[in-house]
mmCIF file of all heavy atoms in Angstrom:
data_model
loop_
_atom_site.group_PDB
_atom_site.id
_atom_site.type_symbol
_atom_site.label_atom_id
_atom_site.label_comp_id
_atom_site.label_asym_id
_atom_site.label_seq_id
_atom_site.Cartn_x
_atom_site.Cartn_y
_atom_site.Cartn_z
ATOM 1 N N THR G 52 -11.922 -1.273 -19.872
ATOM 2 C CA THR G 52 -11.565 -2.607 -19.501
ATOM 3 C C THR G 52 -11.528 -3.612 -20.687
ATOM 4 O O THR G 52 -11.106 -4.692 -20.556
ATOM 5 C CB THR G 52 -12.463 -3.225 -18.377
ATOM 6 O OG1 THR G 52 -13.783 -3.347 -18.914
ATOM 7 C CG2 THR G 52 -12.457 -2.313 -17.179
ATOM 8 N N ARG G 55 -7.994 -4.786 -23.165
ATOM 9 C CA ARG G 55 -6.840 -4.243 -22.407
ATOM 10 C C ARG G 55 -6.502 -5.161 -21.295
ATOM 11 O O ARG G 55 -7.356 -5.846 -20.714
ATOM 12 C CB ARG G 55 -7.266 -2.901 -21.817
ATOM 13 C CG ARG G 55 -6.167 -2.258 -20.976
ATOM 14 C CD ARG G 55 -6.422 -0.777 -20.776
ATOM 15 N NE ARG G 55 -6.137 -0.048 -22.072
ATOM 16 C CZ ARG G 55 -7.050 0.493 -22.814
ATOM 17 N NH1 ARG G 55 -8.331 0.436 -22.419
ATOM 18 N NH2 ARG G 55 -6.726 1.086 -23.930
ATOM 19 N N ALA G 56 -5.197 -5.271 -21.027
ATOM 20 C CA ALA G 56 -4.690 -6.068 -19.958
ATOM 21 C C ALA G 56 -3.954 -5.123 -19.000
ATOM 22 O O ALA G 56 -3.205 -4.204 -19.449
ATOM 23 C CB ALA G 56 -3.676 -7.151 -20.467
ATOM 24 N N TYR G 57 -4.146 -5.316 -17.708
ATOM 25 C CA TYR G 57 -3.431 -4.456 -16.721
ATOM 26 C C TYR G 57 -3.324 -5.253 -15.445
ATOM 27 O O TYR G 57 -3.984 -6.239 -15.158
ATOM 28 C CB TYR G 57 -4.167 -3.173 -16.487
ATOM 29 C CG TYR G 57 -5.608 -3.282 -16.052
ATOM 30 C CD1 TYR G 57 -5.946 -3.442 -14.674
ATOM 31 C CD2 TYR G 57 -6.613 -3.233 -16.991
ATOM 32 C CE1 TYR G 57 -7.309 -3.545 -14.294
ATOM 33 C CE2 TYR G 57 -7.980 -3.284 -16.600
ATOM 34 C CZ TYR G 57 -8.280 -3.479 -15.243
ATOM 35 O OH TYR G 57 -9.582 -3.575 -14.865
ATOM 36 N N SER G 58 -2.342 -4.807 -14.631
ATOM 37 C CA SER G 58 -2.128 -5.431 -13.285
ATOM 38 C C SER G 58 -1.737 -4.268 -12.321
ATOM 39 O O SER G 58 -1.168 -3.257 -12.720
ATOM 40 C CB SER G 58 -1.024 -6.498 -13.363
ATOM 41 O OG SER G 58 0.187 -5.910 -13.725
ATOM 42 N N VAL G 74 -4.354 -7.200 -8.296
ATOM 43 C CA VAL G 74 -5.352 -7.530 -9.322
ATOM 44 C C VAL G 74 -4.558 -7.742 -10.665
ATOM 45 O O VAL G 74 -3.610 -7.022 -10.981
ATOM 46 C CB VAL G 74 -6.365 -6.478 -9.418
ATOM 47 C CG1 VAL G 74 -5.791 -5.082 -9.813
ATOM 48 C CG2 VAL G 74 -7.460 -6.852 -10.478
ATOM 49 N N VAL G 75 -5.026 -8.721 -11.400
ATOM 50 C CA VAL G 75 -4.573 -8.957 -12.754
ATOM 51 C C VAL G 75 -5.781 -9.131 -13.628
ATOM 52 O O VAL G 75 -6.747 -9.825 -13.318
ATOM 53 C CB VAL G 75 -3.757 -10.241 -12.858
ATOM 54 C CG1 VAL G 75 -3.422 -10.580 -14.304
ATOM 55 C CG2 VAL G 75 -2.488 -10.198 -12.051
ATOM 56 N N HIS G 76 -5.831 -8.373 -14.721
ATOM 57 C CA HIS G 76 -7.043 -8.271 -15.542
ATOM 58 C C HIS G 76 -6.714 -8.409 -17.001
ATOM 59 O O HIS G 76 -5.815 -7.697 -17.510
ATOM 60 C CB HIS G 76 -7.736 -7.001 -15.282
ATOM 61 C CG HIS G 76 -8.941 -6.697 -16.250
ATOM 62 N ND1 HIS G 76 -10.259 -6.972 -15.936
ATOM 63 C CD2 HIS G 76 -8.956 -6.269 -17.530
ATOM 64 C CE1 HIS G 76 -11.017 -6.612 -16.900
ATOM 65 N NE2 HIS G 76 -10.303 -6.191 -17.941
ATOM 66 N N VAL G 77 -7.434 -9.250 -17.740
ATOM 67 C CA VAL G 77 -7.253 -9.412 -19.209
ATOM 68 C C VAL G 77 -8.595 -9.511 -19.840
ATOM 69 O O VAL G 77 -9.513 -10.280 -19.358
ATOM 70 C CB VAL G 77 -6.425 -10.658 -19.577
ATOM 71 C CG1 VAL G 77 -6.314 -10.734 -21.068
ATOM 72 C CG2 VAL G 77 -5.056 -10.586 -18.932
ATOM 73 N N CYS G 78 -8.863 -8.800 -20.971
ATOM 74 C CA CYS G 78 -10.029 -8.832 -21.710
ATOM 75 C C CYS G 78 -9.764 -8.794 -23.182
ATOM 76 O O CYS G 78 -8.940 -7.915 -23.571
ATOM 77 C CB CYS G 78 -11.086 -7.768 -21.276
ATOM 78 S SG CYS G 78 -12.672 -7.882 -22.133
ATOM 79 N N GLN G 83 -13.718 -11.849 -20.285
ATOM 80 C CA GLN G 83 -13.035 -11.109 -19.309
ATOM 81 C C GLN G 83 -12.617 -12.000 -18.136
ATOM 82 O O GLN G 83 -13.434 -12.710 -17.610
ATOM 83 C CB GLN G 83 -13.901 -9.959 -18.774
ATOM 84 C CG GLN G 83 -13.181 -9.003 -17.844
ATOM 85 C CD GLN G 83 -14.079 -7.794 -17.467
ATOM 86 O OE1 GLN G 83 -13.589 -6.860 -16.898
ATOM 87 N NE2 GLN G 83 -15.376 -7.861 -17.819
ATOM 88 N N ILE G 84 -11.285 -12.032 -17.865
ATOM 89 C CA ILE G 84 -10.783 -12.809 -16.755
ATOM 90 C C ILE G 84 -10.014 -11.963 -15.844
ATOM 91 O O ILE G 84 -9.283 -11.002 -16.213
ATOM 92 C CB ILE G 84 -9.939 -13.997 -17.231
ATOM 93 C CG1 ILE G 84 -9.527 -14.919 -16.042
ATOM 94 C CG2 ILE G 84 -8.697 -13.537 -18.008
ATOM 95 C CD1 ILE G 84 -8.887 -16.188 -16.481
ATOM 96 N N GLU G 85 -10.218 -12.180 -14.545
ATOM 97 C CA GLU G 85 -9.575 -11.325 -13.500
ATOM 98 C C GLU G 85 -9.188 -12.127 -12.287
ATOM 99 O O GLU G 85 -9.900 -13.089 -11.944
ATOM 100 C CB GLU G 85 -10.616 -10.246 -13.108
ATOM 101 C CG GLU G 85 -9.948 -9.052 -12.333
ATOM 102 C CD GLU G 85 -11.026 -7.944 -12.291
ATOM 103 O OE1 GLU G 85 -12.052 -8.118 -11.587
ATOM 104 O OE2 GLU G 85 -10.813 -6.849 -12.878
ATOM 105 N N ARG G 86 -8.052 -11.830 -11.714
ATOM 106 C CA ARG G 86 -7.528 -12.504 -10.553
ATOM 107 C C ARG G 86 -7.299 -11.456 -9.495
ATOM 108 O O ARG G 86 -6.569 -10.513 -9.721
ATOM 109 C CB ARG G 86 -6.295 -13.281 -10.815
ATOM 110 C CG ARG G 86 -5.692 -14.095 -9.650
ATOM 111 C CD ARG G 86 -4.412 -14.767 -10.007
ATOM 112 N NE ARG G 86 -3.886 -15.584 -8.966
ATOM 113 C CZ ARG G 86 -3.129 -15.206 -7.944
ATOM 114 N NH1 ARG G 86 -2.782 -13.938 -7.889
ATOM 115 N NH2 ARG G 86 -2.712 -16.060 -7.007
ATOM 116 N N LEU G 208 0.219 -9.782 -20.539
ATOM 117 C CA LEU G 208 -0.463 -10.914 -19.922
ATOM 118 C C LEU G 208 -1.229 -11.682 -21.024
ATOM 119 O O LEU G 208 -1.761 -11.051 -21.963
ATOM 120 C CB LEU G 208 -1.495 -10.424 -18.868
ATOM 121 C CG LEU G 208 -0.896 -9.635 -17.696
ATOM 122 C CD1 LEU G 208 -1.985 -9.000 -16.916
ATOM 123 C CD2 LEU G 208 -0.084 -10.646 -16.757
ATOM 124 N N LEU G 213 -3.755 -17.385 -17.898
ATOM 125 C CA LEU G 213 -4.601 -17.198 -16.689
ATOM 126 C C LEU G 213 -5.697 -18.191 -16.588
ATOM 127 O O LEU G 213 -6.041 -18.662 -15.530
ATOM 128 C CB LEU G 213 -5.216 -15.737 -16.738
ATOM 129 C CG LEU G 213 -4.186 -14.560 -16.551
ATOM 130 C CD1 LEU G 213 -4.920 -13.298 -16.741
ATOM 131 C CD2 LEU G 213 -3.506 -14.642 -15.243
#
Side-chain angles (χ1 to χ4, degrees):
T52 65
R55 181 162 286 110
Y57 56 86
S58 64
V74 61
V75 174
H76 172 98
V77 178
C78 185
Q83 184 173 192
I84 186 169
E85 197 167 66
R86 181 184 187 273
L208 300 167
L213 290 176

